[in-house]
Amino acid sequence: MDTLAPTQKLPGRGVRIAGAVYLVFWAALGIAPSDRGAWLLENALVVGLVALLWFARRAFRFSDASLYLILLFLALHAVGSHYTYSEVPYDAWWRALTGHSLNEALGWQRNHFDRLVHFSYGLLLAYPIREFFLRVAEVRGFWGYFLPLDVTLSTSALYELIEWGAAELFGGDVGMHYLGTQGDVWDAHKDMALAGLGALIAVLAIAFINRRLKHDPAREWSRRMKT
């Protein structure tokens, strides 16, 4: 007999507040972006993702932990789409805060905000992806850790293809801002590698935590949602 306590079908109060804060943040950054055309392209997939989560909310409910991670990733994306990724002034913010250049301290020659977001894609979304597979496909053991990494890499490759196609279609400054290679011919490869690295770190951390806890919170969540 399943002795797990029932799980609420709606996100907790904290997630609802965080979601409202994100919407205000996203709307504020959408008022006067650096490049309206690039902003529209960058946010097309975001609108699609949010719409998918909304319409599927009754059939599939992510845990509050997953929803926090998704919102954090979307907030980073909102900053990138406002400034265009290659022009996010993080170095100026760091200089104002510390009096020193972060790029100079780390020996960077380019704007690396896009690299941060690609890394965060794997790091922050591997847990929600794993939760999805545990619930829908009921994967076990090795596959519960491998599939989030696999999906991260495959969707990263798909995004790079979409990015390339959009840049070819729209061309000009909009295409270049959306593509954001900053002259690096290996930009797409590095973006995919960082997303994969982020996902690898996440699944290793999840496996370590589960081993220490001697139980799997994500699997327990999936079982509760089926009661």
Side-chain angles (χ1 to χ4, degrees):
M1 180 180 296
D2 193 343
T3 60
L4 292 173
T7 301
Q8 60 186 21
K9 298 298 182 181
L10 295 175
R13 184 168 180 268
V15 175
R16 295 198 297 272
I17 293 172
V21 170
Y22 164 74
L23 287 176
V24 172
F25 182 68
W26 177 81
L29 291 179
I31 293 173
S34 297
D35 186 316
R36 176 62 69 184
W39 183 87
L40 290 171
L41 283 175
E42 294 284 3
N43 283 278
L45 291 177
V46 172
V47 172
L49 173 61
V50 172
L52 179 63
L53 291 174
W54 174 259
F55 287 115
R57 69 190 186 282
R58 296 188 185 280
F60 184 89
R61 157 87 159 89
F62 278 111
S63 68
D64 286 0
S66 285
L67 292 173
Y68 279 125
L69 292 170
I70 292 170
L71 286 171
L72 179 55
F73 173 75
L74 291 178
L76 288 172
H77 177 75
V79 174
S81 62
H82 173 78
Y83 291 99
T84 73
Y85 274 91
S86 59
E87 297 176 8
V88 174
Y90 67 84
D91 197 54
W93 298 336
W94 186 262
R95 190 186 296 273
L97 183 65
T98 68
H100 303 284
S101 168
L102 181 63
N103 275 9
E104 289 180 5
L106 297 176
W108 292 346
Q109 301 298 318
R110 75 189 297 276
N111 189 303
H112 279 282
F113 188 82
D114 63 328
R115 302 275 197 248
L116 170 65
V117 175
H118 281 282
F119 176 76
S120 298
Y121 174 71
L123 185 69
L124 298 177
L125 299 191
Y127 187 89
I129 292 170
R130 181 173 187 269
E131 195 171 85
F132 177 84
F133 277 110
L134 291 176
R135 170 89 181 277
V136 174
E138 299 184 1
V139 296
R140 295 182 177 277
F142 168 79
W143 295 106
Y145 298 97
F146 173 75
L147 286 174
L149 176 60
D150 181 61
V151 169
T152 298
L153 287 169
S154 60
T155 52
S156 293
L158 178 61
Y159 177 77
E160 294 299 334
L161 291 174
I162 293 173
E163 195 174 58
W164 166 50
E168 286 284 350
L169 178 63
F170 293 99
D173 290 339
V174 171
M176 290 306 298
H177 282 156
Y178 186 60
L179 198 59
T181 61
Q182 299 182 62
D184 186 352
V185 296
W186 303 110
D187 180 72
H189 304 75
K190 293 174 181 177
D191 289 347
M192 289 184 287
L194 282 169
L197 177 61
L200 179 62
I201 291 173
V203 296
L204 290 176
I206 293 167
F208 176 77
I209 292 171
N210 289 348
R211 184 177 180 85
R212 292 296 299 269
L213 294 176
K214 296 183 179 179
H215 69 94
D216 187 338
R219 187 175 299 282
E220 291 174 3
W221 167 265
S222 299
R223 291 177 60 195
R224 288 192 182 99
M225 290 304 294
K226 292 180 179 179
T227 61

